[in-house]
Amino acid sequence: MTQVKDFTRTELFWEGKWQRPRSTGQLELISPSTEDFIGRVPDAHEADVDSAVRSARSALAPDSEWANLSQAGRAEAIERLAAALQARDQQIKELLGHELGRPVHLPPRPNRAAEILRYYAALTRGRETEQRRPSPDPRPPGAVQSSRVRYEPVGVTAAIAPYNGTLEMGLYKVGPALATGGSVVFKPSPQAPLEAYHLAEAALEAGVPPGVINIVTGGARTGRALVEHPGTDLVAFTGSTNTGRVIAESCGRALKPVVLELGGKSAALVLEDADLDHFHRMVPYLGFTFAGQNCFIHSRILAPRSRYEEVVDAVVSAARSIVVGDPFAPETRMGPLISAEHRDRVEGMIRTGREEGAVVATGGGRPEHLSRGWYLEPTVFAHADNRMSISREEVFGPVVVVIPYQDEEEAVALANDSEYGLAGSVWTTDPARGEALAARVDSGSVGVNTYGFNSAAPLWGRRASGLGGELGPESLHTYTRYQSLHLPGV
């Protein structure tokens, strides 16, 4: 086990510099893999939030450095920020091992934070700031003959990120906000606030103008103060559906725009002609990424009755192949859950699954070789149906259920029989059939023989999975406000 470190931070970030908080409250951070103390951060209160929001507002003033940058200058600043985060890649990976218990030696993957910023920098360069639009119905002289539609930043974004993706999902919000010329007050989850400090340090290294990026850490009170602050113009939140509903209600009362990326109960539709060897290789990613603590997790696997036992065997074999343990060990592929309380909740869901008649095909308990840390075994339920709690509620843990279906119509019906609509996938050796079936899945994103994220394609949850969307050029509309300047004829 790697030596325990103290990551304590005592300051917050606004006006382009580190600030001593007015609050004396602190959040204590505990390693989920060792249960050791690893640091503290400020638990900001309303006065700190107000300072951060005022700083963000000042960055939008007509005489500010940020407001007077050209689009090319703004793109260059975003690219410098991407480079500064890219340079911190290994340092951040090691931090996540301590803070989240996320395995450090996973197969190499691109730095998603840097990739997202570079994508939005490219959009910034080619983006129009206004359009001239003639009237489709010419009027008499003196009436409106054409309009200039001006694009302006929506203003100050309150960006609230979850513990399972502080930087990545945070930059789903920061990227388009900066691309449109807006500013941000960023609040990370109280369970994983440390990555946010790297964003502030990267902003300083990149020379991002003061006030454009501001950081406050804290719990529910901090989040509420940020959401309800009259100086924030948009709230962008990723997290639980229950919290999202509370935020939506608050923003509704204030008539404040809100973007919510919430929970999921996604289905993987395995067709009778699927390549089970390929599917087997994908199961650890689909069902158990970050110990199942991801909104896209395909926790319902729909299997044809004609091949049901084969699919169960493939999923069980894949689950048993996942090495659970010390996040710093080279062989580890799955770490712990984020807290003791969350593990208790997931274990309660496993008990409920058993009581409702589903059968644990593998897992279901705590790894015997790990006496410390909030670990759970990758767990697979067989002989489940779509009415069980384990099939309907978001577990947010390393738990998947395998549900049988009779034909394609029933498979689609089962996939769509959920309050959620975030992700999904179809597995078949006939790509055309897979695409046709995917189009019938009522979900914001669906993969065919794969699943993942594309910064250029929108992530747009449906029903209890969210409001609005992130990623892609579509997200720029969320962070833009419009003014139509109507011009008369001559």
Side-chain angles (χ1 to χ4, degrees):
M1 190 70 70
T2 299
Q3 184 178 0
V4 176
K5 295 185 178 181
D6 188 340
F7 294 95
T8 292
R9 300 275 194 156
T10 60
E11 297 175 309
L12 302 173
F13 186 77
W14 58 77
E15 296 176 354
K17 56 188 176 183
W18 297 108
Q19 306 280 356
R20 184 172 297 280
R22 293 179 179 85
S23 171
T24 59
Q26 295 180 320
L27 299 175
E28 188 171 274
L29 307 178
I30 304 297
S31 165
S33 59
T34 66
E35 303 181 44
D36 290 321
F37 168 86
I38 58 170
R40 295 184 178 88
V41 298
D43 187 5
H45 65 30
E46 291 82 354
D48 300 310
V49 170
D50 183 64
S51 294
V53 173
R54 289 177 183 275
S55 169
R57 181 64 58 193
S58 71
L60 305 179
D63 60 348
S64 72
E65 179 183 355
W66 183 243
N68 283 282
L69 278 179
S70 65
Q71 286 189 220
R74 195 159 66 236
E76 288 170 4
I78 297 170
E79 286 173 341
R80 291 195 303 271
L81 181 61
L85 285 175
Q86 181 79 56
R88 292 170 167 271
D89 190 52
Q90 187 58 36
Q91 192 177 352
I92 291 171
K93 284 180 181 178
E94 291 178 4
L95 169 64
L96 295 182
H98 291 285
E99 186 179 30
L100 300 178
R102 179 169 282 181
V104 173
H105 299 284
L106 293 174
R109 54 169 284 186
N111 183 305
R112 282 279 287 153
E115 175 197 299
I116 291 163
L117 286 172
R118 291 189 181 107
Y119 173 74
Y120 281 107
L123 289 185
T124 302
R125 278 198 165 83
R127 189 167 185 260
E128 293 179 312
T129 58
E130 68 175 44
Q131 282 187 349
R132 185 71 173 256
R133 300 180 188 175
S135 170
D137 181 17
R139 308 278 178 149
V144 173
Q145 296 292 305
S146 66
S147 302
R148 283 214 309 268
V149 180
R150 294 172 170 170
Y151 300 171
E152 303 171 346
V154 74
V156 176
T157 293
I160 304 176
Y163 71 82
N164 61 327
T166 301
L167 273 184
E168 183 172 326
M169 294 183 211
L171 289 173
Y172 287 5
K173 303 152 183 54
V174 174
L178 270 54
T180 56
S183 59
V184 175
V185 179
F186 182 49
K187 193 194 91 66
S189 164
Q191 295 168 299
L194 296 171
E195 273 184 280
Y197 285 87
H198 283 278
L199 177 61
E201 290 169 350
L204 285 172
E205 292 169 9
V208 175
V212 174
I213 294 174
N214 309 273
I215 309 290
V216 292
T217 56
R221 182 181 69 169
T222 309
R224 183 166 55 251
L226 183 57
V227 167
E228 296 178 354
H229 196 290
T232 58
D233 301 296
L234 168 74
V235 176
F237 169 80
T238 298
S240 75
T241 296
N242 288 339
T243 301
R245 287 191 170 108
V246 173
I247 290 173
E249 183 178 353
S250 173
C251 290
R253 287 195 301 270
L255 298 179
K256 184 182 296 187
V258 61
V259 179
L260 304 173
E261 199 271 284
L262 306 176
K265 195 67 182 177
S266 303
L269 283 70
V270 181
L271 303 189
E272 69 276 1
D273 67 343
D275 179 348
L276 289 189
D277 288 337
H278 174 58
F279 182 68
H280 171 272
R281 290 191 293 272
M282 292 295 293
V283 165
Y285 167 74
L286 287 173
F288 301 102
T289 295
F290 190 29
Q293 297 169 115
N294 258 321
C295 53
F296 78 85
I297 288 297
H298 291 48
S299 54
R300 293 184 298 150
I301 296 174
L302 309 182
R305 291 188 183 277
S306 61
R307 301 188 70 185
Y308 183 77
E309 296 302 331
E310 288 180 79
V311 174
V312 170
D313 288 346
V315 176
V316 167
S317 172
R320 288 175 177 169
S321 73
I322 299 170
V323 178
V324 181
D326 176 4
F328 291 90
E331 68 275 9
T332 297
R333 291 297 175 266
M334 193 178 101
L337 297 178
I338 191 64
S339 67
E341 293 78 14
H342 186 51
R343 182 174 65 176
D344 289 344
R345 178 189 171 277
V346 175
E347 287 177 325
M349 292 293 296
I350 292 172
R351 284 194 299 274
T352 298
R354 285 185 166 117
E355 291 165 1
E356 292 181 341
V359 176
V360 174
T362 192
R366 301 179 182 183
E368 293 181 357
H369 67 290
L370 296 167
S371 59
R372 298 187 71 192
W374 301 309
Y375 292 93
L376 270 181
E377 297 170 326
T379 300
V380 178
F381 276 100
H383 305 292
D385 67 53
N386 213 48
R387 296 166 296 179
M388 295 176 176
S389 300
I390 203 77
S391 303
R392 304 200 70 80
E393 298 179 25
E394 185 179 37
V395 178
F396 220 63
V399 180
V400 302
V401 298
V402 187
I403 300 170
Y405 68 84
Q406 188 62 40
D407 54 29
E408 190 174 286
E409 292 301 315
E410 185 182 14
V412 173
L414 290 170
N416 293 339
D417 182 18
S418 172
E419 68 170 321
Y420 299 102
L422 185 65
S425 58
V426 178
W427 302 83
T428 173
T429 52
D430 182 345
R433 181 187 180 197
E435 289 189 36
L437 196 62
R440 298 172 61 194
V441 176
D442 189 8
S443 183
S445 62
V446 187
V448 178
N449 295 322
T450 188
Y451 188 78
F453 297 94
N454 177 357
S455 298
L459 178 64
W460 219 271
R462 302 179 181 182
R463 302 184 298 284
S465 289
L467 289 173
E470 299 185 309
L471 298 178
E474 291 80 4
S475 66
L476 294 179
H477 294 291
T478 300
Y479 294 83
T480 302
R481 65 178 185 174
Y482 303 90
Q483 183 188 57
S484 295
L485 180 63
H486 300 305
L487 305 172
V490 294

